[in-house]
């Protein structure tokens, strides 16, 4: 469904991605793991058109999207929920969600999608008129994911959804991500909490200094001693 082929991405003269190749099949949750600075966020920005690769291909259903704008990529079915949530703090919850549907004009279907989001995140329905900036960190993350879903994507890119959240909220957010997946969404999940990510993912890639260092089934990587030592706090 989504494939990167030998992608090199640069910030100025600094090479951040060094020929990475990966693929996400329809219906999967694929985790992308790695330390700070490994290039995980750059992978998502390259897919969503915020950065264009210097060389290499990004393919959606076999067709190149490297020359597309971010808006065109959203219209093609890829939604990016960025690190740090990036909600519109002065707008209320409903306005944030409605902005997620900016590429759509099917009003009736938008309302149906709102109700589906409220079934996953019922707290958002109780906060509809509340300013987004007054929500807790966990509530803001729910809103950011809900806003991403409002474009009705076929693939959801999630960048560090557990970042800055209390442990009890992390568990809740991952349960909700699993619910989103069960409703038919394909997900590429960037996450430093490798233990939680590998619990819900079917496959994973480990990124080190802009290169794929390891890949495989999530359960195999959980048992891998190198992954355990580097990302899971030992065996």
């Amino acid at each position: 469904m989504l494939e990167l082929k030998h992608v090199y991405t640069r910030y100025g003269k600094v090479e951040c991605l060094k020929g990475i190749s990966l693929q996400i099949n329809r219906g999967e949750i694929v985790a992308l793991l790695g330390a700070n600075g490994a290039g995980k966020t750059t992978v998502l920005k390259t897919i969503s058109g915020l950065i264009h690769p210097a060389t290499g291909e990004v393919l959606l259903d076999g067709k190149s999207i490297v020359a597309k704008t971010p808006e065109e990529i959203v219209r093609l079915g890829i939604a990016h929920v960025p690190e740090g949530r990036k909600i519109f703090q002065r707008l209320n919850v409903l306005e944030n969600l409605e902005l997620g549907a900016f590429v759509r004009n099917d009003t009736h279907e938008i309302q149906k999608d709102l109700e589906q989001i409220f079934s996953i995140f019922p707290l958002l329905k109780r906060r509809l008129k509340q300013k987004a900036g007054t929500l807790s960190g966990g509530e803001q993350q729910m809103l950011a994911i809900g806003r991403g879903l409002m474009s009705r994507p076929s693939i959801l890119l999630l960048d560090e959804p557990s970042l800055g959240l209390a442990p009890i909220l992390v568990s809740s957010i991952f349960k909700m991500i699993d619910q989103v997946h069960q409703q038919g969404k394909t997900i590429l999940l960037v996450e430093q909490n490798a233990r939680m990510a590998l619990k819900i993912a079917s496959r994973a890639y480990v990124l080190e200094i802009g290169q794929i260092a390891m890949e495989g089934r999530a359960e195999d990587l959980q048992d891998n001693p190198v992954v355990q030592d580097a990302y899971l706090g030992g065996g």
Side-chain angles (χ1 to χ4, degrees):
M1 188 178 189
L2 179 66
E3 186 174 10
L4 275 66
K5 286 186 173 181
H6 311 296
V7 168
Y8 289 80
T9 299
R10 300 186 178 93
Y11 289 113
K13 294 182 179 180
V14 179
E15 197 168 66
C16 298
L17 301 182
K18 304 172 183 179
I20 74 163
S21 297
L22 58 82
Q23 65 181 36
I24 296 97
N25 301 312
R26 193 175 303 276
E28 287 189 305
I29 297 180
V30 175
L32 184 58
L33 311 177
N36 280 336
K40 306 185 299 297
T41 293
T42 303
V43 170
L44 298 193
K45 287 183 175 181
T46 301
I47 294 168
S48 61
L50 297 172
I51 304 171
H52 293 294
T55 60
E57 285 292 342
V58 181
L59 305 171
L60 179 64
D61 292 324
K63 297 178 181 178
S64 176
I65 59 172
V66 292
K68 303 289 186 184
T69 66
E71 180 179 336
E72 289 171 330
I73 289 171
V74 171
R75 290 182 184 278
L76 289 171
I78 298 177
H80 183 174
V81 180
E83 179 182 351
R85 301 179 271 277
K86 305 292 193 297
I87 58 168
F88 299 100
Q89 300 212 5
R90 295 184 180 182
L91 301 182
N92 66 32
V93 166
L94 180 59
E95 289 165 337
N96 269 270
L97 291 171
E98 288 173 338
L99 279 171
F102 80 100
V103 297
R104 301 172 57 185
N105 54 20
D106 51 341
T107 306
H108 180 67
E109 292 299 311
I110 287 173
Q111 189 58 44
K112 283 173 60 176
D113 285 350
L114 272 173
E115 292 304 322
Q116 190 173 43
I117 286 166
F118 296 148
S119 74
I120 302 171
F121 307 114
L123 186 142
L124 294 182
K125 191 169 187 177
R126 301 197 295 270
R127 301 276 198 273
L128 277 185
K129 298 302 180 181
Q130 187 171 329
K131 290 284 191 289
T134 67
L135 300 176
S136 70
E139 292 165 351
Q140 289 185 15
Q141 187 61 67
M142 295 174 202
L143 178 57
I145 296 172
R147 184 183 60 189
L149 291 171
M150 283 302 294
S151 66
R152 195 174 272 188
S154 51
I155 298 179
L156 190 62
L157 310 179
L158 296 178
D159 196 353
E160 301 284 10
S162 76
L163 186 68
L165 301 185
I168 191 169
L169 288 176
V170 170
S171 179
S172 296
I173 287 293
F174 273 92
K175 285 178 183 175
M176 292 169 185
I177 291 170
D178 196 38
Q179 278 184 269
V180 170
H181 174 242
Q182 289 173 22
Q183 292 191 359
K185 299 301 180 189
T186 303
I187 296 172
L188 177 56
L189 171 64
V190 162
E191 182 55 61
Q192 280 198 318
N193 190 330
R195 192 177 302 278
M196 293 296 291
L198 291 173
K199 280 184 180 178
I200 66 169
S202 51
R203 293 189 301 112
Y205 294 87
V206 178
L207 199 61
E208 291 183 1
I209 320 174
Q211 296 178 304
I212 302 294
M214 205 177 302
E215 62 181 277
R217 296 190 311 163
E219 57 264 40
D220 293 338
L221 290 176
Q222 278 182 306
D223 295 334
N224 185 294
V226 175
V227 174
Q228 288 182 348
D229 288 341
Y231 302 106
L232 304 177

